[in-house]
Amino acid sequence: MVAHVRYHLTLLTLNAPWTEQRRRPGYHQKPPGPFLSQPPAPLKNLSSKWVFECSALSKQGQRFFSSLATAAGDTSATNRLIKKFVAASPKSVALDALSNLLSPHSSYPHLSAFAFPLYLKITEARWFEWNPKLVANLAALLDKQGQYKELATLISDSTSKLQLRERDLALFYCNLVESHSKQNSVGGFDDYFARLTRLVHNSNSVHVKRQGYKSMISGLCEMGRPIEAEDLIEEMRGKGVKPSVFEFRCVLYGYGRLGLFEEMQSSVVQMESSGFEVDTVCSNMILSSYGSYNALTEMGLFLQKMKDLGIPFSLRTFNSVLNSCPTIISMMQNSNAAYPISIQELIKILSEDEAMLVEALVGSSVLKETMKWNALEAKLDLHGMHLCSAYLIMLMWIEEMRKRLNSGNYVIPADVTVVCGSGKHSSIRGESPVKQMVKEIMVRTRSPMRIDRKNIGCFIAKGSVVKEWLC
C-alpha cells in the first residue's frame, strides 16, 4: 500500500527560531510515499525559453548533431560523421558534444544512442585523457538504455586500471553513484551504492569514508530517499566521520523536493544543532521546495524570516521565488502579452501572495550588487538571471536609475549599459528571451538605449541622454 502523506505546515514555526522546532514522534517508522494528498502538483514542463540553460552546444556541435539526425539508421554514415567530427574538432568542442548527449537534461535525447560510439572515437584522439566522471556519466546512460554488454566492458576496463589505487577507485564509484542517481537508474544506482558501501566500510582512509558518504547521501536524496540518507549521517558519526554542511543540505532539499516540509524543517534543526547556520544556500533550497508545490504563502513568510535573521538574498533567491509566480510566468511565456513596465503596475495585477513575494524581493540589495556605477559607466549585468528575475530587476533598475540621477549625490556616468546576452547560453542558441524582454521594455518606455553594434548582447546610451529620459 502506498503511504499518503498529508500536506501540513504549521506556519507559526516560521516565526520561531529553528532550534525551537522538534521532530514528530515515530519519524523513522515508515518512509514517505511518493504521493501527496493536498498540495498541487509541482510546476513542471515550463517552457525552456524563459530560463537560461547552464550550457549551450557550439555551432560546430549543432551542425554535427543535425547531420547525425539526418543519417540516423545508416550505421556506416553515422560512423563516418563521428570520425570526421572528432578529427576536425578541438578537444573542448568534442567533449562538449559528448557531454550534451550524456546529460539527463539533454536537448538531444533522440541522439543519445550515439554517445557510446562518439566516446570510443574520442578515446582514440591524441588529446584524450581518461576521466572518471565522464565514464560514470556514460555508464549511467548505457544502463538506462539497456546496453549491458557495453556497460560491463566499460566498467571492467575502468576498474582494472584503478584496482590498486583505493582513492581513485572510491572516486570512480562516487561518480557512478551520482551519475546513476541523476539518470534515476534504480538498478544501477543500487549496484554501485552497494559497491561503494563495501569500499567505505573496509577502508581505513578518512578521506575515502568522507567522500563515499558524501556521494551516497547525495545520491539517495536525488533518488527520493532522504530517510535513508539521514540514517547514513548517523552512521557517519558512528564511524568517527563528522558530517559537513553538504550532507545536511542534501537531506534538507531531499525532503523539500518531496513536499515533506515538516521533515525539511526538522532537518534544519538537526543542521543547526550540529553547528551549521542557515545561510543563503540553504534558504534558496527551502524556497525552491516551497515553490515546487506552489506554497506561496509559506514562501513569503520564509522570505520575511530571512530578512529578520539577516540572511542575504541572492540572484538564485530571485530565480527560485519568481519562477514560482504563475502570473509573472504566464506573462513571460506569452510573447503577445503587454506586461507592466513599472513595479506599481505589476503589483496591481498580482495575487496577494505573489505581490507579497515581489515586495519582499524589491526591498533587497540584490540590484545594487549587480550594478556597477562610476564616472565612466553605469552597468547592469543580467547574466545568471532567469527571465522572470531579469524582468523584475529591469523594473527595479529603472526606478533606481531615476532616483540616483535625480538625487545629485551620484556622478553622471559617461555611458549606461545593460548587458542581457545574445543567446549563447539560451536553450536555443542565438535566441535570447531576456534580450527580447529588455527590448520590449525599452521600446514601450521610449528609452534612448539601443543595441550596441559592437556587442549585440548589450543596450547602450550616453549617461546624459539617459538622465534626460528618466528625469
Side-chain angles (χ1 to χ4, degrees):
M1 178 180 292
V2 176
H4 287 262
V5 182
R6 184 167 65 90
Y7 174 73
H8 173 72
L9 179 69
T10 305
L11 297 183
L12 292 177
T13 61
L14 288 169
N15 297 319
W18 289 115
T19 50
E20 291 181 12
Q21 301 167 37
R22 294 290 182 266
R23 291 186 180 278
R24 56 182 172 82
Y27 167 70
H28 284 292
Q29 289 179 1
K30 57 183 177 180
F35 300 106
L36 299 167
S37 59
Q38 291 296 327
L43 299 173
K44 295 180 179 179
N45 300 323
L46 297 176
S47 171
S48 60
K49 290 186 178 181
W50 59 277
V51 178
F52 275 126
E53 296 293 336
C54 58
S55 64
L57 193 64
S58 66
K59 290 182 179 179
Q60 188 174 349
Q62 285 182 326
R63 289 193 295 268
F64 170 56
F65 281 0
S66 179
S67 299
L68 277 181
T70 302
D74 186 340
T75 304
S76 60
T78 55
N79 286 340
R80 285 196 302 271
L81 285 170
I82 291 172
K83 181 179 180 180
K84 181 179 179 181
F85 173 71
V86 174
S89 302
K91 176 181 178 180
S92 59
V93 172
L95 291 178
D96 182 56
L98 178 58
S99 297
N100 268 272
L101 294 179
L102 296 178
S103 172
H105 310 294
S106 173
S107 300
Y108 309 91
H110 57 293
L111 299 177
S112 61
F114 297 110
F116 189 56
L118 177 58
Y119 171 77
L120 292 179
K121 186 55 63 176
I122 285 175
T123 60
E124 299 174 6
R126 288 181 299 173
W127 45 258
F128 174 75
E129 295 178 5
W130 188 85
N131 182 290
K133 188 172 182 64
L134 186 67
V135 173
N137 288 341
L138 177 59
L141 180 62
L142 291 174
D143 183 72
K144 183 178 180 180
Q145 294 174 339
Q147 299 187 53
Y148 301 119
K149 182 180 178 180
E150 293 84 352
L151 173 61
T153 301
L154 181 68
I155 296 300
S156 176
D157 290 347
S158 300
T159 53
S160 64
K161 299 175 184 177
L162 305 172
Q163 201 64 51
L164 299 178
R165 307 202 303 269
E166 184 187 55
R167 279 199 176 195
D168 292 339
L169 183 61
L171 175 62
F172 184 45
Y173 282 151
C174 287
N175 291 145
L176 284 166
V177 166
E178 293 170 6
S179 296
H180 280 78
S181 69
K182 290 174 182 176
Q183 289 284 5
N184 198 29
S185 176
V186 178
F189 173 82
D190 288 340
D191 180 14
Y192 296 112
F193 183 90
R195 296 193 198 191
L196 182 57
T197 299
R198 288 194 296 271
L199 193 154
V200 167
H201 286 173
N202 294 331
S203 176
N204 294 319
S205 168
V206 175
H207 175 79
V208 168
K209 289 181 181 294
R210 186 179 301 282
Q211 294 303 313
Y213 279 119
K214 178 179 179 179
S215 294
M216 288 190 289
I217 289 170
S218 172
L220 285 170
C221 292
E222 185 74 25
M223 295 292 288
R225 294 152 62 177
I227 284 184
E228 295 173 63
E230 198 164 19
D231 288 340
L232 274 187
I233 290 181
E234 295 305 317
E235 182 180 303
M236 286 181 71
R237 291 192 175 107
K239 299 288 185 181
V241 182
K242 183 180 177 181
S244 70
V245 69
F246 175 84
E247 287 80 40
F248 287 107
R249 286 174 179 169
C250 286
V251 172
L252 177 158
Y253 196 41
Y255 282 125
R257 288 171 61 188
L258 294 176
L260 301 175
F261 299 150
E262 186 175 341
E263 285 80 359
M264 178 178 72
Q265 292 185 51
S266 296
S267 298
V268 175
V269 176
Q270 286 278 6
M271 185 179 73
E272 286 198 322
S273 65
S274 298
F276 301 108
E277 294 182 351
V278 178
D279 58 7
T280 303
V281 175
C282 291
S283 299
N284 289 339
M285 290 178 171
I286 293 170
L287 290 168
S288 178
S289 300
Y290 286 144
S292 293
Y293 290 92
N294 203 29
L296 301 189
T297 301
E298 291 84 347
M299 184 180 280
L301 292 171
F302 188 76
L303 284 174
Q304 185 57 51
K305 184 179 182 66
M306 288 178 67
K307 286 187 173 183
D308 294 342
L309 295 177
I311 301 173
F313 292 3
S314 67
L315 285 181
R316 186 160 298 213
T317 307
F318 270 64
N319 290 339
S320 296
V321 172
L322 294 171
N323 285 351
S324 305
C325 294
T327 304
I328 299 178
I329 291 172
S330 178
M331 287 193 306
M332 294 296 102
Q333 288 182 312
N334 184 358
S335 58
N336 296 320
Y339 38 80
I341 53 176
S342 74
I343 294 174
Q344 293 74 21
E345 291 177 16
L346 174 63
I347 289 176
K348 286 179 182 179
I349 68 168
L350 299 178
S351 67
E352 183 178 349
D353 285 337
E354 289 178 287
M356 177 174 62
L357 296 177
V358 168
E359 287 171 346
L361 295 176
V362 167
S364 73
S365 62
V366 170
L367 172 65
K368 294 179 181 178
E369 293 166 3
T370 59
M371 287 180 67
K372 170 187 172 184
W373 190 290
N374 55 46
L376 294 178
E377 182 183 42
K379 182 167 73 172
L380 173 68
D381 192 342
L382 299 177
H383 278 109
M385 301 180 198
H386 293 179
L387 182 55
C388 295
S389 301
Y391 167 61
L392 181 59
I393 288 288
M394 274 300 299
L395 301 187
M396 293 168 60
W397 176 79
I398 290 174
E399 290 195 2
E400 181 66 19
M401 287 290 292
R402 180 178 288 113
K403 184 190 304 180
R404 291 191 182 191
L405 293 172
N406 266 326
S407 69
N409 297 325
Y410 291 86
V411 61
I412 305 300
D415 296 299
V416 176
T417 305
V418 174
V419 183
C420 56
S422 58
K424 290 182 180 179
H425 301 285
S426 300
S427 57
I428 302 178
R429 190 180 180 91
E431 293 184 17
S432 171
V434 171
K435 180 180 176 181
Q436 291 302 317
M437 177 273 297
V438 173
K439 182 179 179 180
E440 175 72 11
I441 290 178
M442 295 299 183
V443 170
R444 291 182 55 201
T445 57
R446 298 183 179 181
S447 168
M449 301 191 71
R450 298 291 182 265
I451 294 174
D452 187 356
R453 292 181 180 178
K454 297 179 180 178
N455 184 349
I456 61 173
C458 295
F459 287 80
I460 60 171
K462 293 297 181 182
S464 57
V465 177
V466 172
K467 180 178 180 181
E468 184 178 344
W469 164 52
L470 291 175
C471 304

